[in-house]
Amino acid sequence: MTTIHGWMMTGVGEPLVEKDWDAPELAEGEVLVKVAGCGVCHTDISFLHMGVPTRMKPPLVLGHEISGTVESAGRGAGDWVGKNVLVPAVLPCGECPACQADRRRICSAQIMPGNDRHGGYASHVAVPAKYLCPVGDDVLASNSLADLAIVSDAVTTPFQAMKRAGVAAGDLAIVIGTGGLGIHAVQIMEAAGAKVIGLDIDESKLETVRANTNAATVNTKDLDFKAMKGAVKGAAKELGAPRFGAKIFEMSGTKSGQETAFGLLGFGATLGIIGFTMAKPELRISNLMAFDAEMFGIWGCDPVLYAEVVEWIGAGKIAVGPYAEQHPLSDINAVMTAAHEGRLSRRAVMVP
């Protein structure tokens, strides 16, 4: 029997605890994935440091951005053994009415590693095989399997937002918060043909945007709302973007970011809320009516889209490596603290 080595959350604000345990007996359709890498997401920080409850009570292994190689399989999943895969951050059942209506992201029986069951901050993780995404040698020729772990949320969630908003060539796309999610949103919107503006209060993050994309940037740190709106309007004019129908994506997961995003609504605009916060912003909801605008939320990415994301990576439309930084799993507590304090410049990937 395989012994799993990993790090468990035991309580809010407590250091993760190193443990060994026997791998579970695999149910029909399940596989055991040997973890190559597991990304550190703001959601993990919310569980560990901000009191957001997990659905499985601790002790629990966190981590839902997982890549690896299938090591063993339960009945009916043997064809997966030996394959390099991405594990979708949200794994729907595929059978319920929501799934049958192509609303897999709201499947009531969904499994999220690191929330509903043990996740990827370990040597191995047991997951359903149904929606695993294979990674071919062509993609691995220019990307490490460990780095590709961040695709399972940091890349696919903005990709889903792009699809949901219907971003098309020539559209104006405004990305608020250009960190772990937002930097990928910028490059995805640009790859889709949009004219992109990235907003942030951290100049180093905006420097990363400018160094790797053709997007315009606005540092909002010292700007009041009127000045910020004027700066965004000026940047849009320089880009030659249309004056209506902007696609706005709130990626920061902050109260101020959500208020900024809503304040930028204009005629025919579409606003996507992708970042998460427990804070409650003050908004004048009637702006949606006045501007004939729309607003939506995104809970992860439909796993059926993962293959297209991997194709974009293979084609060079989406870069992963420049935005990921590998750390040994044994450093997980230090990395989680650094992430919580905003001291990481790239998406941390924990490598067993």
Side-chain angles (χ1 to χ4, degrees):
M1 174 168 295
T2 300
T3 298
I4 299 178
H5 180 82
W7 296 75
M8 289 190 177
M9 173 184 173
T10 58
V12 176
E14 297 294 327
L16 302 181
V17 177
E18 188 176 13
K19 286 187 177 294
D20 290 326
W21 65 96
D22 291 336
E25 183 176 346
L26 297 173
E28 181 176 358
E30 287 190 336
V31 296
L32 187 69
V33 176
K34 184 177 181 180
V35 176
C38 184
V40 175
C41 177
H42 182 73
T43 302
D44 300 310
I45 305 304
S46 297
F47 291 149
L48 183 60
H49 288 290
M50 301 167 68
V52 176
T54 54
R55 286 194 285 263
M56 175 180 168
K57 292 183 179 180
L60 172 69
V61 180
L62 300 176
H64 57 272
E65 291 185 344
I66 305 167
S67 62
T69 305
V70 177
E71 191 170 275
S72 59
R75 188 161 59 91
D79 289 347
W80 284 100
V81 174
K83 290 186 177 180
N84 296 314
V85 297
L86 301 179
V87 179
V90 178
L91 292 153
C93 72
E95 306 295 335
C96 68
C99 288
Q100 294 301 306
D102 290 336
R103 295 300 305 277
R104 284 169 286 270
R105 297 192 310 281
I106 59 171
C107 169
S108 60
Q110 67 182 229
I111 292 172
M112 180 179 178
N115 188 3
D116 298 284
R117 61 164 67 184
H118 289 321
Y121 296 151
S123 60
H124 297 75
V125 61
V127 294
K130 189 176 183 69
Y131 288 108
L132 292 177
C133 178
V135 180
D137 292 341
D138 56 333
V139 176
L140 292 174
S142 54
N143 297 273
S144 78
L145 184 58
D147 283 350
L148 289 171
I150 70 173
V151 172
S152 291
D153 191 357
V155 179
T156 51
T157 297
F159 191 85
Q160 177 75 72
M162 178 270 291
K163 291 283 191 179
R164 179 78 174 269
V167 175
D171 283 348
L172 173 61
I174 302 171
V175 177
I176 297 163
T178 58
L181 281 177
I183 187 60
H184 297 292
V186 169
Q187 61 168 332
I188 287 167
M189 304 308 164
E190 195 168 70
K195 301 175 186 296
V196 186
I197 305 172
L199 277 61
D200 210 296
I201 61 173
D202 186 335
E203 185 61 24
S204 67
K205 292 176 181 175
L206 295 175
E207 287 175 0
T208 300
V209 171
R210 292 190 290 268
N212 294 279
T213 74
N214 293 313
T217 60
V218 175
N219 189 325
T220 61
K221 184 176 181 179
D222 297 318
L223 301 180
D224 60 23
F225 179 75
K226 183 177 180 181
M228 179 275 298
K229 198 167 185 179
V232 171
K233 184 177 179 180
K237 185 176 181 180
E238 286 190 18
L239 290 172
R243 300 180 65 181
F244 65 91
K247 308 297 172 64
I248 305 165
F249 302 94
E250 205 301 298
M251 298 279 175
S252 73
T254 63
K255 179 176 182 287
S256 60
Q258 291 182 352
E259 290 173 344
T260 295
F262 199 83
L264 288 173
L265 279 178
F267 290 104
T270 301
L271 169 58
I273 302 296
I274 293 87
F276 175 80
T277 177
M278 295 287 283
K280 297 179 180 180
E282 294 184 12
L283 308 174
R284 188 174 68 187
I285 300 299
S286 293
N287 283 13
L288 291 168
M289 178 277 291
F291 292 121
D292 195 23
E294 300 179 8
M295 183 165 65
F296 66 85
I298 286 291
W299 173 249
C301 179
D302 189 333
V304 303
L305 289 178
Y306 274 56
E308 186 176 357
V309 175
V310 171
E311 287 178 7
W312 280 39
I313 294 170
K317 294 181 179 181
I318 300 174
V320 174
Y323 310 108
E325 185 172 67
Q326 296 183 19
H327 302 263
L329 184 57
S330 57
D331 288 348
I332 182 65
N333 282 310
V335 171
M336 292 286 274
T337 298
H340 179 49
E341 295 175 353
R343 293 189 280 109
L344 299 181
S345 60
R346 293 192 284 176
R347 192 77 157 189
V349 176
M350 307 313 301
V351 178

